[in-house]
Amino acid sequence: MVEALEAAEELSLPELARALGSCSTPGCLAVLGDPPAAPLDLPALGPEQRALLTHLLRPDPAAPERGTVLAPDGSTVALAPLLAGVEVGLRMAGGWSGPTPEPPTALDALYAVTLTEALATAFLLARARNHSGATLGPDGCWDDVENPQNFTLLGPPSPVPEAVANGALDGVLLGARLAQAPVPLAPLLRSYYGTDNGTASGRPPSSYRRRDFGALTGLKKLEEEVVAMLRLLRVLPPTRGLLEDVGEEEEVAIARRAARDFMETFVECPAIVPRCMWGARPYRGTPKPLSLPLGSVYIHHTFVPSAPCRTFAACARAMRSMQRFHQDTRGWDDIGYSFVVGSDGYLYQGRGWHWVGAHTRGHNTKGYGVGYVGNFSATLPDPDAIALVRDGLLPCAVRAGRLRHDYTLRGHRQVVNTSCPGDSLFQEIRTWRGFE
């Protein structure tokens, strides 16, 4: 479909998205200008393709699935910020110097159209509500990951749900790449998101979006761009009312809080695939709540499946298989682990942050059980999978108040008569903070 649009040499996909209303917010319009006229017909596409494209590119706040797609790596991506970033990258490659007239404070157009307007708006609206309600998130779930049609948010909506955050990260990364070296859009998107849910030989670049955005964008840079957007919103008629009683000092404080919360939530902390996305069965009975913060973490390997899972599809299958075994063979209420670590770049929610697991006999109420998919008796998980827990999940759990700052970390074998988590992984975790 993208190739057909490019070959037709009419509107590009980003321009078509704007024509259909994907860039209708005051800040985006101020940066990119008025949208082109929506074409009455798209002769390069068939009727079904035209209908699908219109459905995908015309966002509707009342219908979360409008304007979002399920990427091969299992993440949900909002198209509006993604394509806006792509358009800015292409314009910059062609010599575009930025919006006209110039905004009151110099801003980076790439961040303005992808992220900072939504982020600034989220925190301004929270201020207007006396900081009640959601500012970031939530994630959501598709009805069928094989044939996704309907997408449902898992909590109260905000201007920056996870799909918008993913689209913004991807828009910044791909826009920055295009600004340096423009390439045709279709192969760029295929190579970035991968095909057929990735390959056994490697993860698609999209699964590294948090790491790569963090390397490109420091906290200070994001703060500066949110301040610049707030100053633009202050002079635009539709939004100036939100900033009428916001002084310069508070403006900076809002930007600092927005940038910090975004970086912690969507960059420093790992993405966790919710149960509904891997196809979990319901919990049997009534789950028992944990009393947070917990003081311990117990590291496991699954042993079976014995091979690491390197794609969303493979990891989701492994989760369903383990849940069936734990429920049907062992008679447990649910999959035993709190979280499971794939080698596809993602953590998978088992019993999660709030419910007692069945991972470490005699210790389930005291700590979280984290299981690596695979047999790590003689080999180690991938370095990225190790870092996902050591440098991501654990410090984020402490920051969120779910894990005590003086937590202890142990291998399963230290408290139960077992070889788990395998000799190689056990030797690795002996070097981690909190090991006892």
Side-chain angles (χ1 to χ4, degrees):
M1 190 185 302
V2 179
E3 293 97 328
L5 286 170
E6 289 182 323
E9 296 184 352
E10 296 172 1
L11 292 180
S12 67
L13 182 59
E15 289 171 333
L16 179 59
R18 282 203 299 126
L20 293 172
S22 69
C23 173
S24 57
T25 54
C28 191
L29 289 169
V31 173
L32 291 180
D34 292 333
L40 297 175
D41 194 14
L42 294 168
L45 304 179
E48 289 185 2
Q49 287 180 313
R50 287 199 298 274
L52 174 61
L53 202 58
T54 301
H55 177 81
L56 289 176
L57 297 183
R58 183 174 284 151
D60 179 356
E65 72 274 11
R66 293 288 294 265
T68 60
V69 294
L70 177 62
D73 68 356
S75 60
T76 300
V77 178
L79 291 174
L82 164 65
L83 294 175
V86 166
E87 181 168 358
V88 167
L90 291 171
R91 286 193 188 190
M92 292 171 69
W96 183 60
S97 57
T100 305
E102 290 187 10
T105 301
L107 53 71
D108 188 324
L110 186 56
Y111 291 86
V113 301
T114 53
L115 175 58
T116 57
E117 183 181 13
L119 196 51
T121 301
F123 281 78
L124 285 173
L125 292 174
R127 176 185 180 275
R129 298 189 305 263
N130 293 318
H131 303 286
S132 65
T135 50
L136 301 174
D139 198 356
C141 277
W142 292 93
D143 53 346
D144 182 349
V145 296
E146 300 296 330
N147 181 31
Q149 299 294 322
N150 298 304
F151 182 71
T152 304
L153 293 175
L154 294 176
S158 81
V160 192
E162 186 144 338
V164 169
N166 288 336
L169 299 182
D170 293 348
V172 169
L173 293 169
L174 293 178
R177 184 186 305 182
L178 287 166
Q180 297 297 317
V183 295
L185 188 53
L188 174 67
L189 294 175
R190 277 200 301 269
S191 66
Y192 182 74
Y193 289 108
T195 56
D196 301 323
N197 285 320
T199 66
S201 60
R203 291 163 46 185
S206 58
S207 69
Y208 292 98
R209 61 169 64 88
R210 296 187 180 211
R211 183 202 68 181
D212 292 348
F213 183 88
L216 179 69
T217 310
L219 178 61
K220 188 173 186 301
K221 165 70 171 174
L222 188 56
E223 282 180 21
E224 292 169 350
E225 294 305 325
V226 177
V227 168
M229 177 53 68
L230 287 167
R231 290 174 183 169
L232 174 60
L233 296 178
R234 186 186 290 280
V235 302
L236 297 177
T239 51
R240 61 169 58 128
L242 284 172
L243 289 116
E244 275 179 346
D245 60 343
V246 177
E248 284 189 18
E249 219 172 278
E250 187 180 6
E251 185 180 75
V252 171
I254 290 171
R256 184 177 297 119
R257 186 165 57 251
R260 181 199 64 214
D261 287 4
F262 182 87
M263 294 294 277
E264 286 183 359
T265 303
F266 294 120
V267 179
E268 296 168 10
C269 292
I272 299 175
V273 177
R275 293 169 60 89
C276 50
M277 281 296 289
W278 57 262
R281 292 171 170 180
Y283 189 95
R284 291 179 179 169
T286 303
K288 297 180 178 65
L290 290 163
S291 179
L292 306 184
L294 300 185
S296 298
V297 177
Y298 304 101
I299 302 296
H300 302 248
H301 69 170
T302 62
F303 193 73
V304 177
S306 60
C309 61
R310 302 189 185 280
T311 68
F312 166 65
C315 291
R317 280 196 302 272
M319 292 296 292
R320 293 192 296 271
S321 173
M322 288 185 286
Q323 188 188 40
R324 282 195 303 271
F325 176 68
H326 288 178
Q327 288 185 323
D328 298 347
T329 303
R330 293 197 166 168
W332 297 348
D333 293 331
D334 196 6
I335 188 170
Y337 305 112
S338 308
F339 297 99
V340 174
V341 191
S343 294
D344 62 338
Y346 295 99
L347 291 161
Y348 287 76
Q349 179 189 359
R351 301 210 190 182
W353 295 116
H354 300 288
W355 307 113
V356 175
H359 45 79
T360 312
R361 186 185 297 274
H363 298 265
N364 291 315
T365 61
K366 301 173 185 177
Y368 293 113
V370 179
Y372 279 84
V373 177
N375 177 355
F376 297 107
S377 301
T379 60
L380 278 173
D382 296 341
D384 289 333
I386 290 172
L388 203 62
V389 177
R390 181 192 62 204
D391 305 333
L393 180 72
L394 300 182
C396 287
V398 172
R399 244 189 340 256
R402 292 162 175 155
L403 191 62
R404 287 172 43 177
H405 68 88
D406 59 347
Y407 69 86
T408 58
L409 182 138
R410 296 182 177 91
H412 189 196
R413 63 173 63 180
Q414 291 176 268
V415 290
V416 174
N417 183 20
T418 175
S419 63
C420 178
D423 290 346
S424 292
L425 182 53
F426 181 68
Q427 291 304 315
E428 164 62 31
I429 67 170
R430 288 168 65 95
T431 68
W432 292 12
R433 178 198 159 188
F435 179 84
E436 186 175 281

